[in-house]
Amino acid sequence: MRVLWIPSWYPTADNPANGSFFAEQVDMLRTCDMDVRVVVTTSATIKQVEQQEALKLVPIPDGCSIAVPAIPRSIVPGDTAIARLAANKIAAFFDEQNWIPDVIHAHSVFPAILVARQLARIWKVPFGITEHRPSTLRINPKGFRYKAIREAVTKTAFRFTVSDDMASALTTFYDSKPFIACRLPAASSFFYQDLYCGFSEKFTFGHVSSLDSNKCPVNILKAFSQLESATGCELKIAGGSYKEISDLKALAEKLGISTRVKFLGQIPRDDMPELMSKLDCFILASTREAGGTVLSEAQACGIPCISTTTPAGNFAINSFNGSLVPIGDIASLKNAMQHHLNLGKPSLRLRTLIREQARDACSPPAFAKIHSHCYQEVTAGNQRC
């Protein structure tokens, strides 16, 4: 089966971490003998428009990339017409390769779904959507962009999103047929990683993210500083820019925990499973988190997780595999961390059970099975996905 994926962000040579999970998911589908190609549809910046770099199609190893101009604040109609121009260029690119997809899968409603709809018209094939971004729910319902997106959403053959809360909110917001929640998968390398038996004497908390304000690393540091018997534990933080790490190091110094917090910086993707596996508890304290791939990765390594009650946290965490805390509540975060610290290092049995639960929910085979079934249904003319 030929499948065209249209994400709105994707790894590049300059930024290999940008949407790395998309590239991994494409590989998951390819292992099922699917011929998957990619069109990256980024929103063009004002600078790109001024320099006439928008709507220039650039070949990439998996397909092509195109920057699609966005009308500022969507104050006038035109997004659909711009998407049509982009679609014509994309269709010509693949026509030259004698390649036409059986199904089109957009990732995010803007600009991906608008381009996907136009390509579906050109090639006369079904298209669908996976929405990852909570920001879609903040589009002005009275604006021209919302009208164009809603019209495209209602024409989809399938509608996925990354958590139950998001599914309910998107279905209501776009007044569409139901969205279906599907866990973001962890790559096979996380499931293949040996389960760590705890050679370190210290209980190790961990956090991996971009370290921006949405991920709330400051709250994690403050909660960690308030733990009882904290000398028996450590905190490892991976990711972030030089400035973000410098600011957090200064805060750790101020809180008196600098000797027990390790800032690891950017970790190569291939090294992430080993890092995860050596944690005793993973923390994701975000303000907004739709799906949380990192929660799937931690659970694939058998690690209990603490998450805030974001859609991602509510979907991934249960009483067996971790703890949920209110968003922005440092006291509750500290209490949850203290609870896991008091329980001690997770046993090999618990780690195994967490991994097995994750295998059923967010392994590559589980992800590929859901998508393969859906693609087969819609290409056969059955619109039940």
Side-chain angles (χ1 to χ4, degrees):
M1 177 176 289
R2 295 181 172 186
V3 182
L4 180 64
W5 267 36
I6 309 183
S8 295
W9 66 106
Y10 204 68
T12 64
D14 294 336
N15 191 357
N18 183 41
S20 59
F21 65 92
F22 278 133
E24 290 172 352
Q25 290 173 17
V26 166
D27 286 339
M28 292 174 197
L29 297 182
R30 286 174 175 161
T31 62
C32 298
D33 295 325
M34 293 188 198
D35 181 0
V36 186
R37 305 197 187 184
V38 176
V39 173
V40 186
T41 55
T42 57
S43 296
T45 64
I46 293 176
K47 182 178 180 180
Q48 286 175 312
V49 173
E50 290 176 344
Q51 295 179 346
Q52 297 183 337
E53 294 177 358
L55 288 176
K56 282 187 177 180
L57 194 141
V58 179
I60 61 173
D62 285 336
C64 62
S65 176
I66 189 168
V68 183
I71 297 172
R73 298 185 298 280
S74 63
I75 56 177
V76 295
D79 287 326
T80 298
I82 293 172
R84 188 180 301 118
L85 291 173
N88 288 337
K89 294 191 175 206
I90 294 164
F93 174 83
F94 286 107
D95 287 346
E96 289 180 0
Q97 301 178 27
N98 196 28
W99 191 90
I100 296 176
D102 299 302
V103 62
I104 301 170
H105 192 157
H107 288 265
S108 87
V109 297
F110 188 81
I113 198 173
L114 299 183
V115 175
R117 185 188 182 192
Q118 297 302 321
L119 284 169
R121 284 173 163 173
I122 293 170
W123 285 320
K124 295 180 174 56
V125 297
F127 75 104
I129 178 73
T130 294
E131 181 51 82
H132 303 252
R133 292 168 164 167
S135 58
T136 184
L137 299 169
R138 298 194 297 272
I139 295 174
N140 179 7
K142 296 181 179 180
F144 292 104
R145 180 163 299 152
Y146 172 87
K147 181 180 178 181
I149 290 173
R150 182 185 176 277
E151 188 174 321
V153 168
T154 60
K155 300 297 183 182
T156 52
F158 58 91
R159 292 152 302 283
F160 288 126
T161 188
V162 291
S163 60
D164 281 335
D165 291 352
M166 281 289 289
S168 177
L170 288 165
T171 300
T172 299
F173 187 67
Y174 287 112
D175 190 23
S176 68
K177 292 180 181 179
F179 278 72
I180 297 171
C182 178
R183 279 286 300 272
L184 289 171
S188 295
S189 55
F190 290 88
F191 287 95
Y192 293 151
Q193 178 66 38
D194 289 340
L195 292 174
Y196 183 59
C197 297
F199 298 117
S200 170
E201 293 183 1
K202 289 188 176 182
F203 187 100
T204 305
F205 293 100
H207 173 73
V208 178
S209 78
S210 58
L211 302 188
D212 58 36
S213 59
N214 175 55
K215 304 297 183 180
C216 299
V218 168
N219 290 359
I220 296 174
L221 289 175
K222 289 181 177 179
F224 181 76
S225 72
Q226 297 171 21
L227 293 175
E228 301 170 8
S229 305
T231 54
C233 64
E234 62 183 353
L235 171 62
K236 293 183 178 180
I237 296 178
S241 66
Y242 176 81
K243 183 180 187 310
E244 287 166 336
I245 293 172
S246 296
D247 291 345
L248 291 172
K249 281 184 175 180
L251 176 60
E253 184 75 32
K254 182 178 179 181
L255 293 171
I257 56 174
S258 58
T259 60
R260 291 182 286 116
V261 179
K262 297 181 180 179
F263 293 93
L264 306 177
Q266 296 291 341
I267 300 294
R269 184 66 178 158
D270 290 345
D271 295 342
M272 197 60 69
E274 182 178 4
L275 169 65
M276 285 279 197
S277 71
K278 292 183 178 180
L279 302 178
D280 297 306
C281 182
F282 181 81
I283 305 168
L284 189 64
S286 306
T287 299
R288 300 178 308 279
E289 200 76 52
T293 300
V294 71
L295 293 174
S296 298
E297 294 169 349
Q299 290 170 356
C301 289
I303 308 304
C305 298
I306 298 172
S307 174
T308 43
T309 52
T310 59
N314 290 336
F315 196 42
I317 305 299
N318 54 48
S319 58
F320 171 76
N321 62 23
S323 304
L324 285 169
V325 298
I327 295 170
D329 189 333
I330 296 174
S332 294
L333 178 57
K334 174 261 180 183
N335 290 338
M337 293 172 70
Q338 189 70 57
H339 170 71
H340 285 271
L341 179 59
N342 292 344
L343 288 175
K345 287 179 171 290
S347 66
L348 184 58
R349 179 176 180 275
L350 177 59
R351 292 175 188 264
T352 301
L353 292 173
I354 290 175
R355 168 172 281 179
E356 289 310 305
Q357 190 180 77
R359 196 183 304 279
D360 291 338
C362 53
S363 65
F367 177 84
K369 181 179 179 181
I370 290 172
H371 285 73
S372 176
H373 174 75
C374 179
Y375 297 156
Q376 290 172 11
E377 289 280 327
V378 299
T379 54
N382 189 330
Q383 304 293 301
R384 290 184 295 175
C385 289

